[in-house]
Amino acid sequence: MTIAVVGVGLIGGSLAITLKENGFAGRVIGVDQSAANIDKAIRRRLIDEGLPLADALRQAGLVVLATPVDAMARLLPETLGLITPEQVVIDVGSTKGQLLEAVKAHPNRGRYVATHPMAGTEFSGPEAAVPNLFDHKCAVLVDVKDSDADALELVKRMYAGIPMQLVELERDAHDLHSAYVSHISHISSFALALTVLEKERDEARIFELASGGFSSTVRLAKSSPDMWVPIFRQNRDYVLDVLDEHINQLARFRSLLIKKDFEAFYQLIEQANDIKRILK
Ligand SMILES: NC(=O)c1ccc[n+]([C@@H]2O[C@H](COP(=O)([O-])OP(=O)(O)OC[C@H]3O[C@@H](n4cnc5c(N)ncnc54)[C@H](O)[C@@H]3O)[C@@H](O)[C@H]2O)c1
Ligand SMILES: O=C(O)C(=O)C[C@]1(C(=O)O)C=C[C@@H](O)C=C1
């Protein structure tokens, strides 16, 4: 099968190379607003060639939208307007509500399957793409009742073959749980990086003293604003909901420190340790 990947960055590039290596894709055409990224993707053999969207759509059985989510909201209706009834379109975006709203009445809505592979890194662009990124992670399929049965079957086969575990969610549940489990961690890490950069003016000390603790909690702060600002714009309400709770929790630690109530501090850490039950 020929696949068109629109947005040949970390996720589009990683999916392209994964599907070529496992034989699902015979040929991958890249589409990207950045000619430099197309060149890099060809040089890294993530894609076979680069073409404009309309040309790529004439050849691809499956189209993967892998741009930031704001660009997707424009590209998805355009792409659905250009395909035949045999072609299938998916997106890999981190938010779903606005995207699904944008195509709810589209005559080709059934050819589209909304997906979210729950795997990634803090890096972006084709240089960051790797083949094993998705192995044994979870792929969320959203509002599957609105997709044609054959389109859904193809997309399930694609993800299951990687292999990934499939989870089905409605759009609101997807955006709420993504805010709670994924999006808040990024704000927390951006804020931590800003905190340390503000307080520790001696950058050499950051480099010397940073060990696993700081590095692991600040890793996500390296993530690109090009990807994350559109996510926060689209998922603002659920992110605000969980951010308020996060600020409350920070305030609890602050208040106990001020009161020198280290017994309660101990209990709070024990409560936090409960996360070990879920994530080993
Ligand atoms: N990074 C992650 O951890 C992760 C994980 C799962 C899903 N996602 C989602 O995957 C999508 C891509 O993220 P990424 O990390 O691969 O980003 P990226 O920055 O690595 O790649 C995005 C690519 O899209 C291109 N692009 C941007 N606007 C375009 C447009 N209008 N037309 C054509 N190309 C365009 C860019 O030039 C770039 O090559 C996002 O929607 C993101 O929410 C990201
Ligand atoms: O591990 C990372 O670096 C990620 O940011 C991946 C991550 C996440 O786990 O929050 C980020 C956004 C996605 O939509 C899915 C996965």
Side-chain angles (χ1 to χ4, degrees):
M1 160 176 281
T2 296
I3 295 185
V5 174
V6 185
V8 295
L10 167 73
I11 299 298
S14 297
L15 199 57
I17 188 73
T18 300
L19 297 178
K20 273 180 75 166
E21 285 189 358
N22 76 8
F24 186 90
R27 195 161 144 259
V28 180
I29 304 169
V31 178
D32 205 291
Q33 67 177 14
S34 158
N37 282 1
I38 289 288
D39 283 348
K40 285 180 203 162
I42 292 174
R43 259 185 279 126
R44 289 206 57 208
R45 297 180 193 278
L46 306 174
I47 60 171
D48 297 293
E49 64 176 318
L51 288 176
L53 180 64
D55 296 335
L57 293 183
R58 273 193 282 277
Q59 302 181 37
L62 175 68
V63 183
V64 179
L65 299 183
T67 65
V69 292
D70 53 347
M72 273 177 193
R74 296 187 294 273
L75 281 164
L76 180 59
E78 182 187 349
T79 303
L80 286 178
L82 291 170
I83 58 166
T84 65
E86 287 73 45
Q87 290 171 294
V88 175
V89 182
I90 69 169
D91 79 290
V92 294
S94 306
T95 50
K96 286 291 172 274
Q98 289 193 17
L99 200 55
L100 283 157
E101 196 56 27
V103 294
K104 70 172 183 212
H106 199 288
N108 287 338
R109 167 65 185 88
R111 305 314 297 159
Y112 163 56
V113 184
T115 86
H116 183 188
M118 293 304 301
T121 71
E122 64 276 32
F123 304 116
S124 16
E127 50 275 69
V130 282
N132 300 322
L133 184 66
F134 306 107
D135 289 6
H136 304 289
K137 298 281 171 57
C138 147
V140 187
L141 306 179
V142 183
D143 282 5
V144 292
K145 62 180 185 332
D146 297 329
S147 299
D148 292 349
D150 66 306
L152 191 57
E153 197 275 324
L154 177 81
V155 175
K156 283 184 175 177
R157 189 153 53 79
M158 181 195 87
Y159 278 124
I162 287 178
M164 295 184 83
Q165 275 110 43
L166 298 172
V167 172
E168 295 182 5
L169 287 175
E170 299 290 310
R171 70 179 81 166
D172 265 351
H174 169 275
D175 287 359
L176 176 143
H177 293 299
S178 296
Y180 291 1
V181 182
S182 167
H183 304 170
I184 185 63
S185 313
H186 287 76
I187 294 192
S188 175
S189 190
F190 292 134
L192 177 65
L194 290 172
T195 305
V196 174
L197 288 170
E198 180 63 30
K199 292 302 287 182
E200 181 52 274
R201 294 305 173 97
D202 185 345
E203 289 188 10
R205 289 281 177 247
I206 300 181
F207 187 76
E208 278 166 6
L209 301 184
S211 185
F214 182 61
S215 297
S216 62
T217 45
V218 89
R219 175 179 75 82
L220 295 176
K222 299 171 189 168
S223 304
S224 156
D226 291 338
M227 170 184 154
W228 280 99
V229 172
I231 292 172
F232 294 129
R233 186 179 284 133
Q234 291 195 3
N235 212 18
R236 176 178 170 275
D237 292 348
Y238 288 132
V239 171
L240 268 177
D241 170 27
V242 64
L243 183 57
D244 285 346
E245 178 58 28
H246 191 49
I247 292 167
N248 286 341
Q249 295 293 350
L250 288 174
R252 281 173 89 188
F253 282 104
R254 180 174 189 277
S255 142
L256 294 177
L257 270 182
I258 288 173
K259 287 193 266 182
K260 298 184 182 162
D261 186 348
F262 292 105
E263 240 166 67
F265 211 96
Y266 190 99
Q267 282 162 14
L268 216 49
I269 294 176
E270 270 192 331
Q271 278 174 35
N273 288 162
D274 208 26
I275 201 76
K276 281 193 274 195
R277 273 192 307 106
I278 303 162
L279 294 174
K280 298 278 176 274

